Amino acid sequence: MLKFFTKTVALERKIDSYLDLAANSALHFKEGVIYYLNRRYDDFDQKFQIVNALEHQADDLRREIESELYQHTLIPESRGDVLALLETIDKVINRTKSTLLEFSVEQPEIPDEFVRDYTELTEKVVKCAEAIVMAMRAFFRDINAVRDHINKVIFYEEEADRIAERLKRKAFRTDLPLAKKFHLRYFALHIDSLADDSEDVADRLAIYTIKRSI
């Protein structure tokens, strides 16, 4: 096992906490979307507030980690890679917040026949986000395990794309008004973007893993 941190235990703990926030954001995001689909709007609002708070905590912690990396010149040989990874995983956390915000603002009407599709899509994108968090943890603790987690990210991203496409095709084959079809497509696209953001992190992580293995 090749560990990333050998003398910076405090920094390792902070990055672990940051990844905890990313994982929790994804889990609360999933519950929030499912509450919305089941018209439990008070429960949805509660989840939205939680994800909002987690996103702010994550921003504060990320800035603290970045500051420590610069001020104390920690792990100078890999500092750029770590900073880039933190910036890209931050987009995953932001996506959970921005998607719930769109639900809260636009309050889309989801017909009953689409609830199962949106639920399935949400479950896949959250599995994708969970896999990228595991890949990140492996990068810092056991680089040999990164590849397995990245493969899961790719698998779930492709599954999410497949479901999103099916959902969009289904929407445009109904008799719903065109504006509602666009709305259904828009929210499928927004949810699916969480998997796309996770894949972006995986692409970057794959390159950094190769660099560390040379």
Side-chain angles (χ1 to χ4, degrees), residues 162-179:
R162 182 182 59 77
I163 297 164
E165 180 182 335
R166 185 186 74 203
L167 198 160
K168 287 182 275 188
R169 288 182 184 278
K170 184 176 172 180
F172 280 89
R173 283 161 178 70
T174 65
D175 295 326
L176 291 168
L178 187 59

Side-chain angles (χ1 to χ4, degrees), residues 6-82:
T6 54
K7 300 178 181 178
T8 53
V9 176
L11 180 63
E12 180 180 8
R13 286 177 181 159
K14 286 184 179 178
I15 290 179
D16 245 345
S17 296
Y18 183 75
L19 294 175
D20 287 343
L21 291 170
N24 290 339
S25 294
L27 291 172
H28 286 293
F29 165 82
K30 180 174 74 173
E31 292 190 342
V33 174
I34 290 173
Y35 282 146
Y36 186 92
L37 294 172
N38 288 281
R39 298 179 175 81
R40 294 172 58 179
Y41 300 123
D42 288 343
D43 292 325
F44 163 81
D45 285 338
Q46 188 180 30
K47 290 296 174 183
F48 175 47
Q49 295 306 321
I50 290 172
V51 169
N52 197 28
L54 290 172
E55 192 266 343
H56 285 299
Q57 288 177 42
D59 276 346
D60 290 343
L61 186 53
R62 176 177 53 79
R63 292 189 189 103
E64 193 177 324
I65 293 168
E66 289 173 351
S67 176
E68 287 191 20
L69 281 168
Y70 275 116
Q71 289 178 4
H72 303 294
T73 60
L74 300 172
I75 52 172
E77 70 284 358
S78 303
R79 186 171 54 202
D81 294 351
V82 173

Side-chain angles (χ1 to χ4, degrees), residues 24-207:
N24 290 339
S25 294
L27 291 172
H28 286 293
F29 165 82
K30 180 174 74 173
E31 292 190 342
V33 174
I34 290 173
Y35 282 146
Y36 186 92
L37 294 172
N38 288 281
R39 298 179 175 81
R40 294 172 58 179
Y41 300 123
D42 288 343
D43 292 325
F44 163 81
D45 285 338
Q46 188 180 30
K47 290 296 174 183
F48 175 47
Q49 295 306 321
I50 290 172
V51 169
N52 197 28
L54 290 172
E55 192 266 343
H56 285 299
Q57 288 177 42
D59 276 346
D60 290 343
L61 186 53
R62 176 177 53 79
R63 292 189 189 103
E64 193 177 324
I65 293 168
E66 289 173 351
S67 176
E68 287 191 20
L69 281 168
Y70 275 116
Q71 289 178 4
H72 303 294
T73 60
L74 300 172
I75 52 172
E77 70 284 358
S78 303
R79 186 171 54 202
D81 294 351
V82 173
L83 289 171
L85 285 171
L86 291 176
E87 290 291 339
T88 50
I89 199 78
D90 188 57
K91 292 181 181 176
V92 174
I93 301 172
N94 288 342
R95 183 71 67 181
T96 63
K97 174 189 168 185
S98 66
T99 301
L100 292 188
L101 176 63
E102 294 298 326
F103 272 97
S104 177
V105 171
E106 299 195 19
Q107 300 181 337
E109 290 182 25
I110 308 293
D112 289 342
E113 63 266 32
F114 285 90
V115 168
R116 184 175 175 182
D117 300 289
Y118 276 103
T119 301
E120 194 178 347
L121 176 61
T122 302
E123 288 173 347
K124 295 298 182 195
V125 301
V126 168
K127 282 185 178 292
C128 195
E130 289 175 326
I132 196 57
V133 169
M134 293 299 292
M136 287 276 288
R137 291 194 200 280
F139 180 75
F140 294 114
R141 291 176 178 164
D142 180 12
I143 199 165
N144 295 319
V146 172
R147 184 173 176 175
D148 289 339
H149 295 299
I150 286 179
N151 281 337
K152 289 181 181 176
V153 173
I154 295 169
F155 173 80
Y156 289 124
E157 193 277 336
E158 290 176 350
E159 285 288 292
D161 279 351
R162 182 182 59 77
I163 297 164
E165 180 182 335
R166 185 186 74 203
L167 198 160
K168 287 182 275 188
R169 288 182 184 278
K170 184 176 172 180
F172 280 89
R173 283 161 178 70
T174 65
D175 295 326
L176 291 168
L178 187 59
K180 287 197 173 181
K181 294 177 183 178
F182 280 131
H183 223 190
L184 291 171
R185 185 196 65 173
Y186 175 76
F187 277 90
L189 188 67
H190 230 294
I191 294 171
D192 191 29
S193 294
L194 183 61
D196 294 334
D197 291 337
S198 299
E199 187 185 38
D200 289 343
V201 183
D203 289 341
R204 197 178 283 261
L205 196 56
I207 293 170

